[in-house]
Amino acid sequence: MSGDTRLLERAASYAARSALDVTPALLRGPTPCRGWNLAMLLGHACESLAALHDGTVTGRVALIPATAAGDEADGRDWADPARSEEHTSELQSHH
């Protein structure tokens, strides 16, 4: 296992352990990312991991990861807030 892979594994483990402390009441709470609550940040992280999975399995990453698109039937909303028009406009206005 390369050093890069070990670092990714440690980061993913840390994130998964940290998520165990999240309660429904915390999901609407703020994060260091202005304009994002915890639910939005976790949704973005999930979609990012889905894209990483697709990239390693298929060798390419689509705009909407196949992993996320395939999970729509479970009722989760995989729409990444980082790609929303409102968020993109907000980011552009601050740069």
Side-chain angles (χ1 to χ4, degrees), residues 12 14-33 36-50 68 76-82:
Y14 175 79
R17 284 190 312 272
S18 297
L20 292 174
D21 295 331
V22 174
T23 63
L26 294 174
L27 291 175
R28 294 192 187 271
T31 69
C33 303
W36 288 52
N37 64 29
L38 185 56
M40 294 167 71
L41 187 62
L42 290 173
H44 176 59
C46 286
E47 188 169 86
S48 296
L49 287 172
R76 288 181 281 184
D77 179 8
W78 286 94
D80 187 344

Side-chain angles (χ1 to χ4, degrees), residues 1-12 52:
M1 186 180 303
S2 74
D4 292 339
T5 305
R6 281 192 295 270
L7 180 60
L8 177 60
E9 183 179 335
R10 284 189 3 235
L52 177 63

Side-chain angles (χ1 to χ4, degrees), residues 68-90:
D71 287 342
E72 289 174 356
D74 69 7
R76 288 181 281 184
D77 179 8
W78 286 94
D80 187 344
R83 286 192 280 115
S84 74
E85 286 183 37
E86 179 181 318
H87 183 72
T88 302
S89 298
E90 181 182 315

